Amino acid sequence: MTSSVLDLAPVVPVVVLEDAADAVPLARALVAGGLPAIEVTLRTAAALDAIRAIAAEVPDAVVGAGTVISARNVADTVAAGARFLVSPGWTDALLDAMKGSGLPFLPGVSTTSEVVALLECGVTEMKFFPAEAAGGTAYLKALSAPLPQARFCPTGGISAASAPAYLALPNVGCVGGSWMVPGDAVAARDWARVERLAAGAAALRG
């Protein structure tokens, strides 16, 4: 069982797949590049099949589900083999469902009040989203002094250039991003390019 999503790798690829047939070669390329934690977002009809395929055929990958926004999403992705859950935000009902799954999860926050509310619920690991739009590294740095127990995976608008500044912060465990899975590379099934970009991302350390 994955204990903490934040400690698997410095970068968690955020993957949007239109064709489930691309899931396994994409996941293998990301793992080969050094990024074992893969967040497949529930934004397409192929997402659950993609999670199922990666879970079954890429044993070195730790596949998770992103854009989890309902209890039904939680149930469906757990059944598909997801090993962690990520949401863009949270409600009490969604939080209960994610806790009940038994899987590690990262509920999304963008305000101090949301962070404090999760800490009250015993949750210390969170997704900071949308990271760049919500205040970026300056916002997270400001949170670290009054709320040092909260740790984050910032996601949203982060690039290879900006990731190191996030990773240098004491309250950031990893970042989420999609620059290592560009749409044109996936469309062309250029898995060698994905592996190269993944290797570059895996080498990013604060």
Side-chain angles (χ1 to χ4, degrees):
M1 178 63 69
T2 308
S3 59
S4 172
V5 183
L6 300 184
D7 298 325
L8 289 170
V11 180
V12 176
V14 179
V15 174
V16 180
L17 283 170
E18 299 292 343
D19 186 347
D22 293 332
V24 167
L26 176 66
R28 286 177 175 153
L30 291 170
V31 170
L35 300 180
I38 302 168
E39 175 188 336
V40 177
T41 67
L42 301 182
R43 301 181 198 173
T44 67
L48 288 174
D49 285 338
I51 291 170
R52 197 172 290 114
I54 294 170
E57 299 182 46
V58 192
D60 292 333
V62 181
V63 64
T67 327
V68 173
I69 58 172
S70 68
R72 175 63 183 270
N73 287 161
V74 172
D76 288 347
T77 53
V78 169
R83 292 170 62 184
F84 65 91
L85 307 171
V86 183
S87 68
W90 66 279
T91 63
D92 290 338
L94 179 57
L95 190 64
D96 286 345
M98 290 195 292
K99 282 185 172 181
S101 72
L103 297 180
F105 59 92
L106 295 174
V109 297
S110 61
T111 69
T112 307
S113 293
E114 291 169 332
V115 175
V116 172
L118 283 177
L119 291 174
E120 278 189 357
C121 296
V123 177
T124 60
E125 299 188 344
M126 312 166 196
K127 170 178 176 172
F128 179 59
F129 176 84
E132 288 287 280
T137 55
Y139 194 98
L140 286 172
K141 186 174 183 180
L143 287 181
S144 64
L147 302 171
Q149 63 273 55
R151 295 180 71 217
F152 300 95
C153 173
T155 305
I158 298 176
S159 65
S162 62
Y166 282 95
L167 292 167
L169 298 174
N171 55 350
V172 170
C174 63
V175 300
S178 56
W179 72 86
M180 74 299 299
V181 284
D184 58 341
V186 176
R189 295 180 168 82
D190 188 350
W191 310 128
R193 181 181 169 202
V194 170
E195 182 178 341
R196 287 194 303 273
L197 290 169
L204 296 175
R205 295 285 178 182

mmCIF file with all atom_site columns, all heavy atoms in Angstrom, residues 60-74:
data_model
loop_
_atom_site.group_PDB
_atom_site.id
_atom_site.type_symbol
_atom_site.label_atom_id
_atom_site.label_alt_id
_atom_site.label_comp_id
_atom_site.label_asym_id
_atom_site.label_entity_id
_atom_site.label_seq_id
_atom_site.pdbx_PDB_ins_code
_atom_site.Cartn_x
_atom_site.Cartn_y
_atom_site.Cartn_z
_atom_site.occupancy
_atom_site.B_iso_or_equiv
_atom_site.pdbx_formal_charge
_atom_site.auth_seq_id
_atom_site.auth_comp_id
_atom_site.auth_asym_id
_atom_site.auth_atom_id
_atom_site.pdbx_PDB_model_num
ATOM 1  N N   . ASP A 1 60 ? 5.250   -1.706 -11.936 1.00 0.00 ? 60 ASP A N   1
ATOM 2  C CA  . ASP A 1 60 ? 6.119   -0.708 -11.291 1.00 0.00 ? 60 ASP A CA  1
ATOM 3  C C   . ASP A 1 60 ? 5.478   0.667  -11.196 1.00 0.00 ? 60 ASP A C   1
ATOM 4  O O   . ASP A 1 60 ? 6.035   1.564  -10.562 1.00 0.00 ? 60 ASP A O   1
ATOM 5  C CB  . ASP A 1 60 ? 7.452   -0.603 -12.048 1.00 0.00 ? 60 ASP A CB  1
ATOM 6  C CG  . ASP A 1 60 ? 8.283   -1.872 -11.915 1.00 0.00 ? 60 ASP A CG  1
ATOM 7  O OD1 . ASP A 1 60 ? 8.124   -2.571 -10.896 1.00 0.00 ? 60 ASP A OD1 1
ATOM 8  O OD2 . ASP A 1 60 ? 9.071   -2.158 -12.826 1.00 0.00 ? 60 ASP A OD2 1
ATOM 9  N N   . ALA A 1 61 ? 4.329   0.832  -11.819 1.00 0.00 ? 61 ALA A N   1
ATOM 10 C CA  . ALA A 1 61 ? 3.618   2.108  -11.740 1.00 0.00 ? 61 ALA A CA  1
ATOM 11 C C   . ALA A 1 61 ? 2.713   2.136  -10.518 1.00 0.00 ? 61 ALA A C   1
ATOM 12 O O   . ALA A 1 61 ? 2.171   1.103  -10.107 1.00 0.00 ? 61 ALA A O   1
ATOM 13 C CB  . ALA A 1 61 ? 2.792   2.334  -13.003 1.00 0.00 ? 61 ALA A CB  1
ATOM 14 N N   . VAL A 1 62 ? 2.575   3.306  -9.939  1.00 0.00 ? 62 VAL A N   1
ATOM 15 C CA  . VAL A 1 62 ? 1.593   3.528  -8.876  1.00 0.00 ? 62 VAL A CA  1
ATOM 16 C C   . VAL A 1 62 ? 0.547   4.446  -9.484  1.00 0.00 ? 62 VAL A C   1
ATOM 17 O O   . VAL A 1 62 ? 0.721   5.659  -9.534  1.00 0.00 ? 62 VAL A O   1
ATOM 18 C CB  . VAL A 1 62 ? 2.242   4.169  -7.627  1.00 0.00 ? 62 VAL A CB  1
ATOM 19 C CG1 . VAL A 1 62 ? 1.195   4.372  -6.538  1.00 0.00 ? 62 VAL A CG1 1
ATOM 20 C CG2 . VAL A 1 62 ? 3.392   3.306  -7.117  1.00 0.00 ? 62 VAL A CG2 1
ATOM 21 N N   . VAL A 1 63 ? -0.526  3.853  -9.978  1.00 0.00 ? 63 VAL A N   1
ATOM 22 C CA  . VAL A 1 63 ? -1.514  4.625  -10.721 1.00 0.00 ? 63 VAL A CA  1
ATOM 23 C C   . VAL A 1 63 ? -2.581  5.157  -9.780  1.00 0.00 ? 63 VAL A C   1
ATOM 24 O O   . VAL A 1 63 ? -3.084  4.457  -8.914  1.00 0.00 ? 63 VAL A O   1
ATOM 25 C CB  . VAL A 1 63 ? -2.140  3.791  -11.862 1.00 0.00 ? 63 VAL A CB  1
ATOM 26 C CG1 . VAL A 1 63 ? -2.925  2.589  -11.331 1.00 0.00 ? 63 VAL A CG1 1
ATOM 27 C CG2 . VAL A 1 63 ? -3.028  4.667  -12.738 1.00 0.00 ? 63 VAL A CG2 1
ATOM 28 N N   . GLY A 1 64 ? -2.877  6.437  -9.968  1.00 0.00 ? 64 GLY A N   1
ATOM 29 C CA  . GLY A 1 64 ? -3.915  7.068  -9.171  1.00 0.00 ? 64 GLY A CA  1
ATOM 30 C C   . GLY A 1 64 ? -4.958  7.711  -10.054 1.00 0.00 ? 64 GLY A C   1
ATOM 31 O O   . GLY A 1 64 ? -4.797  7.803  -11.280 1.00 0.00 ? 64 GLY A O   1
ATOM 32 N N   . ALA A 1 65 ? -6.031  8.163  -9.427  1.00 0.00 ? 65 ALA A N   1
ATOM 33 C CA  . ALA A 1 65 ? -7.111  8.824  -10.153 1.00 0.00 ? 65 ALA A CA  1
ATOM 34 C C   . ALA A 1 65 ? -7.174  10.285 -9.755  1.00 0.00 ? 65 ALA A C   1
ATOM 35 O O   . ALA A 1 65 ? -7.126  10.618 -8.565  1.00 0.00 ? 65 ALA A O   1
ATOM 36 C CB  . ALA A 1 65 ? -8.442  8.149  -9.847  1.00 0.00 ? 65 ALA A CB  1
ATOM 37 N N   . GLY A 1 66 ? -7.266  11.159 -10.756 1.00 0.00 ? 66 GLY A N   1
ATOM 38 C CA  . GLY A 1 66 ? -7.405  12.582 -10.498 1.00 0.00 ? 66 GLY A CA  1
ATOM 39 C C   . GLY A 1 66 ? -8.782  13.079 -10.904 1.00 0.00 ? 66 GLY A C   1
ATOM 40 O O   . GLY A 1 66 ? -9.562  12.353 -11.528 1.00 0.00 ? 66 GLY A O   1
ATOM 41 N N   . THR A 1 67 ? -9.077  14.299 -10.555 1.00 0.00 ? 67 THR A N   1
ATOM 42 C CA  . THR A 1 67 ? -10.387 14.893 -10.791 1.00 0.00 ? 67 THR A CA  1
ATOM 43 C C   . THR A 1 67 ? -11.495 14.051 -10.159 1.00 0.00 ? 67 THR A C   1
ATOM 44 O O   . THR A 1 67 ? -12.564 13.862 -10.733 1.00 0.00 ? 67 THR A O   1
ATOM 45 C CB  . THR A 1 67 ? -10.661 15.128 -12.298 1.00 0.00 ? 67 THR A CB  1
ATOM 46 O OG1 . THR A 1 67 ? -9.448  15.455 -12.974 1.00 0.00 ? 67 THR A OG1 1
ATOM 47 C CG2 . THR A 1 67 ? -11.618 16.298 -12.496 1.00 0.00 ? 67 THR A CG2 1
ATOM 48 N N   . VAL A 1 68 ? -11.205 13.516 -8.976  1.00 0.00 ? 68 VAL A N   1
ATOM 49 C CA  . VAL A 1 68 ? -12.194 12.748 -8.214  1.00 0.00 ? 68 VAL A CA  1
ATOM 50 C C   . VAL A 1 68 ? -13.082 13.761 -7.485  1.00 0.00 ? 68 VAL A C   1
ATOM 51 O O   . VAL A 1 68 ? -12.610 14.509 -6.631  1.00 0.00 ? 68 VAL A O   1
ATOM 52 C CB  . VAL A 1 68 ? -11.501 11.816 -7.203  1.00 0.00 ? 68 VAL A CB  1
ATOM 53 C CG1 . VAL A 1 68 ? -12.522 11.144 -6.290  1.00 0.00 ? 68 VAL A CG1 1
ATOM 54 C CG2 . VAL A 1 68 ? -10.659 10.776 -7.938  1.00 0.00 ? 68 VAL A CG2 1
ATOM 55 N N   . ILE A 1 69 ? -14.370 13.794 -7.841  1.00 0.00 ? 69 ILE A N   1
ATOM 56 C CA  . ILE A 1 69 ? -15.247 14.819 -7.268  1.00 0.00 ? 69 ILE A CA  1
ATOM 57 C C   . ILE A 1 69 ? -16.529 14.257 -6.660  1.00 0.00 ? 69 ILE A C   1
ATOM 58 O O   . ILE A 1 69 ? -17.398 15.023 -6.244  1.00 0.00 ? 69 ILE A O   1
ATOM 59 C CB  . ILE A 1 69 ? -15.608 15.895 -8.318  1.00 0.00 ? 69 ILE A CB  1
ATOM 60 C CG1 . ILE A 1 69 ? -16.284 15.255 -9.535  1.00 0.00 ? 69 ILE A CG1 1
ATOM 61 C CG2 . ILE A 1 69 ? -14.362 16.682 -8.741  1.00 0.00 ? 69 ILE A CG2 1
ATOM 62 C CD1 . ILE A 1 69 ? -16.845 16.286 -10.522 1.00 0.00 ? 69 ILE A CD1 1
ATOM 63 N N   . SER A 1 70 ? -16.644 12.930 -6.577  1.00 0.00 ? 70 SER A N   1
ATOM 64 C CA  . SER A 1 70 ? -17.866 12.352 -6.007  1.00 0.00 ? 70 SER A CA  1
ATOM 65 C C   . SER A 1 70 ? -17.560 10.997 -5.391  1.00 0.00 ? 70 SER A C   1
ATOM 66 O O   . SER A 1 70 ? -16.538 10.363 -5.695  1.00 0.00 ? 70 SER A O   1
ATOM 67 C CB  . SER A 1 70 ? -18.931 12.179 -7.088  1.00 0.00 ? 70 SER A CB  1
ATOM 68 O OG  . SER A 1 70 ? -18.539 11.169 -8.012  1.00 0.00 ? 70 SER A OG  1
ATOM 69 N N   . ALA A 1 71 ? -18.461 10.536 -4.547  1.00 0.00 ? 71 ALA A N   1
ATOM 70 C CA  . ALA A 1 71 ? -18.328 9.201  -3.958  1.00 0.00 ? 71 ALA A CA  1
ATOM 71 C C   . ALA A 1 71 ? -18.349 8.137  -5.051  1.00 0.00 ? 71 ALA A C   1
ATOM 72 O O   . ALA A 1 71 ? -17.668 7.115  -4.944  1.00 0.00 ? 71 ALA A O   1
ATOM 73 C CB  . ALA A 1 71 ? -19.449 8.964  -2.943  1.00 0.00 ? 71 ALA A CB  1
ATOM 74 N N   . ARG A 1 72 ? -19.145 8.372  -6.101  1.00 0.00 ? 72 ARG A N   1
ATOM 75 C CA  . ARG A 1 72 ? -19.185 7.426  -7.218  1.00 0.00 ? 72 ARG A CA  1
ATOM 76 C C   . ARG A 1 72 ? -17.824 7.340  -7.902  1.00 0.00 ? 72 ARG A C   1
ATOM 77 O O   . ARG A 1 72 ? -17.356 6.251  -8.260  1.00 0.00 ? 72 ARG A O   1
ATOM 78 C CB  . ARG A 1 72 ? -20.267 7.858  -8.217  1.00 0.00 ? 72 ARG A CB  1
ATOM 79 C CG  . ARG A 1 72 ? -20.333 7.011  -9.488  1.00 0.00 ? 72 ARG A CG  1
ATOM 80 C CD  . ARG A 1 72 ? -20.702 5.568  -9.203  1.00 0.00 ? 72 ARG A CD  1
ATOM 81 N NE  . ARG A 1 72 ? -20.683 4.756  -10.404 1.00 0.00 ? 72 ARG A NE  1
ATOM 82 C CZ  . ARG A 1 72 ? -21.753 4.590  -11.201 1.00 0.00 ? 72 ARG A CZ  1
ATOM 83 N NH1 . ARG A 1 72 ? -22.900 5.198  -10.928 1.00 0.00 ? 72 ARG A NH1 1
ATOM 84 N NH2 . ARG A 1 72 ? -21.669 3.827  -12.268 1.00 0.00 ? 72 ARG A NH2 1
ATOM 85 N N   . ASN A 1 73 ? -17.173 8.499  -8.101  1.00 0.00 ? 73 ASN A N   1
ATOM 86 C CA  . ASN A 1 73 ? -15.813 8.495  -8.654  1.00 0.00 ? 73 ASN A CA  1
ATOM 87 C C   . ASN A 1 73 ? -14.877 7.650  -7.800  1.00 0.00 ? 73 ASN A C   1
ATOM 88 O O   . ASN A 1 73 ? -14.060 6.882  -8.319  1.00 0.00 ? 73 ASN A O   1
ATOM 89 C CB  . ASN A 1 73 ? -15.245 9.912  -8.739  1.00 0.00 ? 73 ASN A CB  1
ATOM 90 C CG  . ASN A 1 73 ? -15.839 10.776 -9.818  1.00 0.00 ? 73 ASN A CG  1
ATOM 91 O OD1 . ASN A 1 73 ? -15.720 11.994 -9.760  1.00 0.00 ? 73 ASN A OD1 1
ATOM 92 N ND2 . ASN A 1 73 ? -16.488 10.178 -10.812 1.00 0.00 ? 73 ASN A ND2 1
ATOM 93 N N   . VAL A 1 74 ? -14.973 7.812  -6.490  1.00 0.00 ? 74 VAL A N   1
ATOM 94 C CA  . VAL A 1 74 ? -14.114 7.047  -5.578  1.00 0.00 ? 74 VAL A CA  1
ATOM 95 C C   . VAL A 1 74 ? -14.341 5.557  -5.772  1.00 0.00 ? 74 VAL A C   1
ATOM 96 O O   . VAL A 1 74 ? -13.399 4.777  -5.953  1.00 0.00 ? 74 VAL A O   1
ATOM 97 C CB  . VAL A 1 74 ? -14.379 7.448  -4.112  1.00 0.00 ? 74 VAL A CB  1
ATOM 98 C CG1 . VAL A 1 74 ? -13.613 6.511  -3.170  1.00 0.00 ? 74 VAL A CG1 1
ATOM 99 C CG2 . VAL A 1 74 ? -13.975 8.894  -3.863  1.00 0.00 ? 74 VAL A CG2 1
#
